[in-house]
Structure formats: structure tokens, C-alpha cells
């Protein structure tokens, strides 16, 4: 059984309420930080923990905090990115829904560390019921003196509010989130300047993911060094993994970074293996934007070493034979699944979600979707496969934000590892359509 | 109006535009499930911003309906993980049951069927969202039951 830092009390009845959360040790980190630590001490503990951003990019959280500009007389803001929209990722929803005070507690401690007196949680609009749960937790925190003026008599003031999104994946990108929070279209901004210098309303701003902020609570409670003892190498601590697809037990799991992928997929304690007694065909280990891995590279690296659930372990081999931990959205495909169909499905997602600001992304994602759709519909040509690779090169690295890369990587990896399946769709068009029940053509006529 | 003032008060003086998204969600709920031009103009007035600033937001985010839908909007997630566990079959079942295609409204004006890109229920698919509610682990039988319940609830309104 792995150690749990975030989900330790998840099964305690009533843990979503302030009273029960408090009885189970909740808000200790706020008391400790505000009464015994300076803001700089908290930042140092987070740096010592080695915590890396849990939203997908994996940038060291303490380092990100240290970049925050601190001009006198200008407010600083902490924004929690709860715009969870990466296909395969549903962990933050689980955390907010089941144990909302953990996020509120993390926001208070983190805001204190960063010198913020006003912080916001930006929650995807579809999670309106989750928003109401977190809003209730915030109200309880105010009522019990953990938010508002002079928290616990420390002289520290903090207001915390929630803003909803409106159904745009792009708002998970930090500058798009800021634009959206300012009441505008979620168009990413050109960086630099980075939000740490010029963010919300032009003020220094830190944007952190829900899980990252929640992880600050055990880091402050137990110390950064203690947190750093968990995990492996530069992948410290625990990580929430949202497992889905053709698994016996899909769900949200908290793992100690460094366990083997094989154990995670096949052990009864975790995902319980592949559903319906089938074999695994492929896996996207970190959300839809990361490269897909074929069966032979999921549990072992190209060198035949056990692949580990860690930032480095899943990236082992680079994009040629590896992938990324990303957001922890772990999608498993059984032997019956069609890779072309799945690639088309993800391409459709990115084409739909492109904000349209950059031509390579706006045009390229739509083009990829059309080419993949015709392959899936049995109307493709052999040169379409190379055409996809060409479009990929035109998008990758040529856009303001990483959505272009996110759209390009899955397609490139699918062709890299499953080229013969794309070719089969060209050489066996009727069988391809039959295998997929003609669904692609039913729901998405060719334009 | 109390709610509107509460949303505006969440932001500093002069930054009231930040309350726009929250108010649009509220306006949609209050004004028949969609944002007409008069509704968007009204919201602009509440926030003391130009109507175009509301239009550009309302048309950018997929959650806002800028055309009048049926009484009940069903949004089926169709992205990767849900597709792996049968979302296409659920969409097809609803289409057949209501005799409509995605994007259309049933003849009685009761149901509008839409598809959505990843609703964050990947481990609990296939699923659909209806208003604030998520309906997960769907089967054709569960969909039938849900449609009956929704029809009953909304016929009385």
C-alpha cells in the first residue's frame, strides 16, 4: 500500500465539511505557517520538497514561486488552475469534490508564502457542482477565521474567490486563464513577460494547478525534506493518477512516484489489469497531449529496464521510445482498439479547442483532423500519412502557446509506432470502415 | 441581483468585467437556457462594459448557447476515453430514440442533443452532462430511464 498525502482522509465520512476536516488534522499547515514561519520559510520548504507542477509541465513549483516579482505597492496574485480539461485527466475534480478544504488550506498557505492578499480559483465551467462544493468550503473557512482579515490573529489578510470557465480547454494555459479571468476570450499571451512579472491585471501572478497547491499542505506540515524522501530522483512526493480506458478498475489513485508501470496497470491494488481479459495494445500515460506508447514500450524501456511511474521514467528514451508523465491522465487501450480512430478523435479535440489565434494551430489542427478522418473513413491515400507528418512539423514549435505541440505530438507518436495500422486503413478501406461500424462517417461527414 | 453584486464584489474596484463569465452562466440559467442579444446587452449594462465585449466572450466559450435550445440540453462527451468505452453508441442511441441528429432539437422542443469535448469524467464514461449534473457509466437502458425522468420533470415546467 503506497503512502497517501492528499487522499489520506478521502474515505472519512463528512470529510468535505470543515468540522470533520479539522478533526482530521485539517488547517494545521495554516496554523504552523502563520504562527511559526515567515513567507520566505514556506517558499524554502516548497523548494526543498522538490515539488514539480502537477498540471502537466512539471516545472519546479518552488522555483516558479521564487520568480515572482515583488514591487512595492503592487498587489500580487495566486491563481489556482482548476480548469481541468486534458482528455484522460479527472484527478483535480476528484480532489475538489471529495476533500475541498485541502485545496482551500493549500491556497491559504501558498498565498501567505507569496504575499498575496487576494487569490482566485478558476474552475472549469462544466464542474459547476464542484464549484459549489469548493465555494461552500471557502465560506466555512471564512466563518472559522481562516480567511478574511487578520487570520488567526497573525495580521495576515486573505480573500479567496472562485471564477468559472466557459468550456475552453485553452484556458488551462496560464496566460489564457488570466485573460479569461479578466473577462475576455481565452487567447494565450506572448511570453515574456511571464505572469510572474506581468499577470492578472498587469500584476505579478503565480498560476498553480490544484494538485500542486494541495501538495503544499503536507510539505508545510511535515517539512520539505520529509516530502523529498518520497519518490525517486527528481520526481519527489506522491502524484494523483487518473486512470481510464480499458482497465478493470479505472479511477483516481495516489501513487508514490517511482513505482513500476507494470505494477500500476496489473496489480489488484491499482488498476487491476486490462478489462474483459484482453491484452494491452497501447497507453497514453500523461493525458491526451503526450506521445502514445505501444505495448512493448509501456512497462519496459527500449533497453528492457522496468519503466517507472515518474517524470524521468516515462520520458526515458525521449519521444523516440518514451513519453511523459504530463498531467497523470493514464489512458489504456486494449488490443481491439483502433489507433487511427483514436488519433483522429484526439485530433478532432485539438482542432475544436484551438483558440484560433495562431495560423499554424488554427489551420494545422483542422487539416490534421480532416486527413485523419478520411483515413478512418477508408478514403485515405498512402501519401496522407506523410502529409500528416509534414503538417506536424509546421505546427510544432510555431505557436504562441503549447496547444500546437499538444496537438502535434500524439499524431507524430501514433504514426511513429503504428504506421502499419495507418497503411492498413489505406489498403483495406472497406474493412476499416466495417471495423469501426462506420461511426466516423455517421458522426462527422467529410467536408 | 444580489448574486450579481456578490460576483462583482469578488474583484477589485474597476475590474468588474472579471465577473462576466459567472454572470453569463447565471443569465443563461435565468433567461431560458440561452443568451439572446437583449440578454447580452443587459449583462453589458450590469457590468458597465460595451455589448461587443459580452458578445465576443459568449461566442468564444462553448458552454454558452447563443441560439435557443430545447428545454433540456444533453451534452454527450465524445472524446478519447469516453469513446473507448462506448460514447459513440450512446450518441447513436439518443439519436435514434429522439429521432434527431447531433445539434438538433426533438420535435416536441424538449431535448437538444449536443456533443462535448472531454468533460473530465474519463474514468466514469460513457457520460453526458445535463445542466449542472453529470450522468456517468451510461448504458442504453440508463439513457432511456434518464430521458423518461427528464421528460417528466420538464413537462411540468
Amino acid at each position: 500500500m503506497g503512502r497517501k498525502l492528499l487522499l489520506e482522509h478521502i474515505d472519512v465520512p463528512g470529510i468535505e465539511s470543515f468540522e470533520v476536516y479539522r478533526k482530521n488534522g485539517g488547517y494545521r499547515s495554516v496554523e504552523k505557517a502563520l504562527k511559526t514561519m515567515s513567507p520566505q520559510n514556506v517558499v524554502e520548504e516548497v523548494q526543498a520538497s522538490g515539488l514539480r507542477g502537477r498540471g502537466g509541465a512539471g516545472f519546479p513549483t518552488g522555483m516558479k514561486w521564487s520568480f515572482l516579482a515583488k514591487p512595492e505597492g503592487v498587489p500580487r496574485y495566486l491563481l489556482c488552475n482548476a480548469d481541468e480539461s486534458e482528455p484522460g485527466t479527472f484527478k483535480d475534480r476528484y480532489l475538489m469534490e471529495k476533500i475541498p478544504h485541502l485545496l482551500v488550506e493549500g491556497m491559504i498557505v501558498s498565498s501567505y508564502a507569496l504575499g498575496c492578499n487576494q487569490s482566485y480559483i478558476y474552475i472549469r465551467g462544466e464542474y459547476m457542482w464542484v464549484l459549489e462544493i469548493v465555494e461552500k468550503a471557502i465560506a466555512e473557512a471564512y466563518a472559522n477565521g481562516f480567511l478574511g482579515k487578520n487570520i488567526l490573529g497573525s495580521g495576515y489578510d486573505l480573500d479567496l474567490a472562485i471564477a468559472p470557465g466557459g468550456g475552453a480547454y485553452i484556458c488551462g494555459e496560464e496566460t489564457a486563464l488570466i485573460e479569461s479571468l479578466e473577462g475576455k476570450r481565452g487567447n494565450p499571451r506572448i511570453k515574456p513577460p511571464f505572469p510572474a512579472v506581468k499577470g492578472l491585471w498587469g500584476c505579478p501572478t503565480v498560476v498553480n494547478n490544484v494538485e500542486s497547491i494541495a501538495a503544499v499542505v503536507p510539505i508545510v506540515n511535515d517539512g520539505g525534506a520529509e516530502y523529498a524522501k518520497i519518490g525517486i530522483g527528481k520526481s519527489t512526493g506522491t502524484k494523483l493518477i487518473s486512470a481510464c480506458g480499458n482497465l478493470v478498475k479505472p479511477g483516481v489513485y495516489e501513487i508514490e512516484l517511482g513505482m513500476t508501470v507494470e505494477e500500476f496497470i496489473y496489480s489488484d491494488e491499482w488498476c487491476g489489469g486490462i478489462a474483459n481479459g484482453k491484452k494491452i495494445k497501447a497507453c497514453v500515460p500523461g493525458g491526451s497531449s503526450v506521445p502514445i506508447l505501444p505495448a512493448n514500450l509501456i512497462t519496459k524501456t527500449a533497453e528492457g529496464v522496468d519503466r517507472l511511474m515518474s517524470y524521468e521514467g516515462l520520458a526515458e528514451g525521449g519521444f523516440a521510445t518514451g513519453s511523459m508523465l504530463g498531467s497523470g491522465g493514464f489512458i489504456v487501450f486494449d488490443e481491439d482498439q483502433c489507433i487511427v480512430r483514436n488519433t483522429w478523435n484526439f485530433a478532432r479535440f485539438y482542432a475544436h479547442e484551438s483558440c484560433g489565434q495562431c495560423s499554424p494551430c488554427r489551420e494545422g489542427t483542422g487539416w490534421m483532423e480532416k486527413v485523419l478522418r478520411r483515413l478512418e473513413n477508408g478514403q485515405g491515400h498512402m501519401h496522407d500519412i506523410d502529409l500528416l507528418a509534414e503538417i506536424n512539423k509546421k505546427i510544432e514549435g510555431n505557436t504562441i502557446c503549447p496547444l500546437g505541440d499538444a496537438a502535434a505530438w500524439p499524431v507524430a507518436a501514433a504514426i511513429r509506432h503504428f504506421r502499419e495500422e495507418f497503411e492498413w486503413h489505406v489498403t483495406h478501406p472497406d474493412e476499416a470502415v466495417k471495423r469501426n461500424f462506420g461511426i466516423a462517417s455517421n458522426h462527422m461527414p467529410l467536408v | 441581483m444580489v448574486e450579481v453584486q456578490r460576483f462583482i464584489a469578488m474583484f477589485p474596484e474597476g475590474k468588474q468585467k472579471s465577473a462576466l463569465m459567472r454572470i453569463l452562466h447565471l443569465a443563461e440559467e435565468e433567461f431560458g437556457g440561452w443568451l439572446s442579444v437583449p440578454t447580452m446587452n443587459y449583462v453589458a449594462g450590469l457590468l458597465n462594459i460595451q455589448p461587443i465585449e459580452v458578445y465576443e466572450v459568449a461566442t468564444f466559450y462553448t458552454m454558452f448557447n447563443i441560439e435557443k435550445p430545447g428545454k433540456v440540453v444533453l451534452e454527450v462527451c465524445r472524446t478519447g476515453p469516453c469513446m473507448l468505452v462506448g460514447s459513440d453508441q450512446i450518441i447513436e442511441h439518443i439519436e435514434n430514440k429522439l429521432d434527431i441528429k447531433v445539434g438538433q432539437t426533438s420535435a416536441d422542443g424538449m431535448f437538444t442533443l449536443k456533443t462535448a469535448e472531454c468533460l473530465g469524467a474519463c474514468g466514469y464514461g460513457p457520460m453526458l452532462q445535463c445542466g449542472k449534473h453529470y450522468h456517468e457509466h451510461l448504458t442504453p437502458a440508463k439513457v432511456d430511464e434518464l430521458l423518461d425522468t427528464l421528460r417528466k420533470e420538464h413537462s411540468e415546467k
Side-chain angles (χ1 to χ4, degrees):
Chain A
M1 184 62 124
R3 187 169 163 190
K4 291 188 172 30
L5 301 179
L6 306 182
L7 305 184
E8 185 184 357
H9 301 296
I10 204 85
D11 294 325
V12 175
I15 195 68
E16 69 280 3
S17 73
F18 177 87
E19 194 185 357
V20 176
Y21 182 72
R22 187 88 172 110
K23 274 184 190 161
N24 283 273
Y27 289 101
R28 274 191 302 129
S29 72
V30 177
E31 288 177 317
K32 182 178 176 182
L34 269 58
K35 289 178 180 172
T36 69
M37 299 169 78
S38 70
Q40 184 56 32
N41 289 154
V42 179
V43 174
E44 285 163 4
E45 288 300 330
V46 174
Q47 286 177 325
S49 74
L51 176 69
R52 295 167 66 167
R54 303 304 199 213
F59 191 79
T61 304
M63 191 184 292
K64 190 175 191 177
W65 285 13
S66 72
F67 292 155
L68 186 68
K70 295 179 180 170
E72 287 300 315
V74 177
R76 294 183 285 275
Y77 294 102
L78 171 64
L79 308 183
C80 173
N81 183 349
D83 190 64
E84 182 173 67
S85 311
E86 175 92 350
T89 313
F90 50 102
K91 65 188 176 71
D92 292 340
R93 159 198 167 175
Y94 184 75
L95 196 145
M96 290 188 286
E97 187 181 359
K98 300 291 183 187
I99 189 159
H101 280 285
L102 184 65
L103 174 60
V104 175
E105 181 176 356
M107 285 297 288
I108 298 167
V109 180
S110 304
S111 299
Y112 171 71
L114 294 165
C116 306
N117 298 112
Q118 172 73 67
S119 296
Y120 295 98
I121 302 171
Y122 182 96
I123 298 183
R124 70 177 294 180
E126 292 92 338
Y127 286 176
M128 200 52 88
W129 88 97
V130 178
L131 183 151
E132 287 169 0
I133 290 170
V134 179
E135 201 156 52
K136 188 177 173 217
I138 290 173
E140 288 179 331
Y142 269 107
N144 287 280
F146 283 88
L147 280 171
K149 298 282 182 203
N150 193 22
I151 297 170
L152 304 179
S154 65
Y156 175 61
D157 305 336
L158 176 67
D159 283 311
L160 180 59
I162 301 181
Y169 167 75
I170 190 59
C171 292
E173 194 280 333
E174 60 180 359
T175 60
L177 185 150
I178 291 169
E179 285 284 300
S180 185
L181 194 48
E182 291 182 358
K184 296 182 274 189
R185 295 162 63 102
N187 285 345
R189 296 174 180 172
I190 292 172
K191 296 189 275 191
F194 289 90
V197 176
K198 201 172 178 186
L200 184 64
W201 303 309
C203 299
T205 302
V206 165
V207 183
N208 280 147
N209 168 262
V210 171
E211 189 186 344
S212 313
I213 287 171
V216 174
V217 173
I219 289 169
V220 170
N221 279 337
D222 305 331
E226 204 58 33
Y227 187 88
K229 286 179 189 169
I230 305 167
I232 183 166
K234 290 181 180 173
S235 299
T236 60
T238 63
K239 174 86 186 82
L240 298 183
I241 303 291
S242 46
C244 60
N246 306 123
L247 290 165
V248 173
K249 293 194 299 173
V252 177
Y253 298 100
E254 183 172 10
I255 64 161
E256 290 187 27
L257 286 165
M259 71 183 292
T260 67
V261 174
E262 182 157 11
E263 188 185 1
F264 182 68
I265 294 176
Y266 293 103
S267 159
D268 287 340
E269 187 183 338
W270 308 102
C271 301
I274 311 303
N276 304 314
K278 296 195 183 291
K279 289 179 184 162
I280 191 166
K281 179 175 187 177
C283 175
V284 173
S288 65
S289 61
V290 310
I292 192 169
L293 290 175
N296 64 317
L297 289 173
I298 295 166
T299 56
K300 302 277 185 195
T301 67
E303 285 71 40
V305 178
D306 281 346
R307 197 178 281 286
L308 304 181
M309 296 286 286
S310 67
Y311 290 92
E312 289 74 21
L314 286 165
E316 185 68 43
F319 279 2
T321 57
S323 186
M324 290 171 72
L325 177 63
S327 63
F330 199 87
I331 311 167
V332 169
F333 303 82
D334 71 28
E335 57 192 309
D336 292 342
Q337 299 300 337
C338 171
I339 297 299
V340 178
R341 184 180 178 205
N342 179 70
T343 309
W344 160 64
N345 185 292
F346 282 161
R348 182 177 65 183
F349 171 83
Y350 289 103
H352 184 271
E353 298 300 330
S354 172
C355 78
Q357 198 179 189
C358 313
S359 303
C361 178
R362 182 186 61 244
E363 304 300 329
T365 54
W367 199 2
M368 282 201 297
E369 188 274 323
K370 281 181 187 173
V371 175
L372 283 160
R373 192 179 351 136
R374 71 174 175 240
L375 280 164
E376 177 64 0
N377 274 335
Q379 296 165 308
H381 306 281
M382 209 53 93
H383 62 75
D384 280 340
I385 303 167
D386 293 325
L387 177 60
L388 284 169
E390 272 305 303
I391 300 169
N392 250 279
K393 284 184 202 161
K394 299 287 189 293
I395 301 175
E396 191 179 354
N398 291 316
T399 53
I400 288 174
C401 83
L403 191 137
D405 295 347
W409 291 342
V411 177
I415 295 173
R416 186 186 309 131
H417 297 300
F418 296 95
R419 190 178 181 99
E420 74 289 351
E421 196 161 328
F422 285 81
E423 291 174 352
W424 183 85
H425 273 67
V426 177
T427 54
H428 299 76
D430 294 338
E431 288 175 58
V433 172
K434 199 174 163 189
R435 186 169 82 169
N436 292 317
F437 316 107
I439 281 167
S441 48
N442 280 349
H443 290 290
M444 194 64 104
L446 280 169
V447 178
Chain B
M1 200 50 78
V2 174
E3 281 286 85
V4 168
Q5 292 310 325
R6 183 169 78 86
F7 298 153
I8 292 173
M10 289 175 175
F11 301 97
E13 189 78 30
K15 306 298 182 192
Q16 76 280 4
K17 190 180 170 185
S18 286
L20 176 56
M21 298 274 275
R22 192 87 189 254
I23 292 173
L24 284 179
H25 282 294
L26 180 65
E28 201 171 70
E29 206 174 307
E30 295 288 316
F31 295 103
W34 71 298
L35 299 171
S36 65
V37 170
T39 300
M40 289 191 277
N41 292 345
Y42 174 65
V43 169
L46 289 175
L47 290 170
N48 196 25
I49 58 177
Q50 295 299 316
I52 185 67
E53 296 178 78
V54 181
Y55 306 160
E56 63 182 12
V57 166
T59 53
F60 180 82
Y61 296 94
T62 54
M63 284 187 77
F64 301 122
N65 295 310
I66 49 173
E67 286 177 14
K68 190 175 182 181
K71 284 185 180 176
V72 179
V73 179
L74 307 168
E75 293 187 84
V76 186
C77 178
R78 64 178 183 176
T79 312
C82 273
M83 182 193 73
L84 288 177
V85 291
S87 62
D88 285 329
Q89 285 77 9
I90 294 297
I91 293 168
E92 202 163 11
H93 181 76
I94 298 173
E95 285 182 333
N96 293 336
K97 183 91 182 169
L98 300 177
D99 195 22
I100 55 174
K101 291 289 179 190
V102 170
Q104 296 179 339
T105 299
S106 57
D108 58 0
M110 181 63 73
F111 295 106
T112 296
L113 175 62
K114 291 184 168 186
T115 51
E117 294 294 352
C118 195
L119 290 170
C122 316
Y124 322 116
M127 62 83 65
L128 67 80
Q129 179 171 26
C130 180
K132 290 180 184 176
H133 304 287
Y134 273 25
H135 301 275
E136 300 170 332
H137 299 298
L138 291 176
T139 60
K142 276 190 182 177
V143 168
D144 291 347
E145 199 178 315
L146 175 65
L147 293 179
D148 288 344
T149 305
L150 290 169
R151 191 184 296 280
K152 197 176 170 191
E153 278 175 10
H154 290 268
S155 294
E156 292 156 7
K157 286 182 183 170

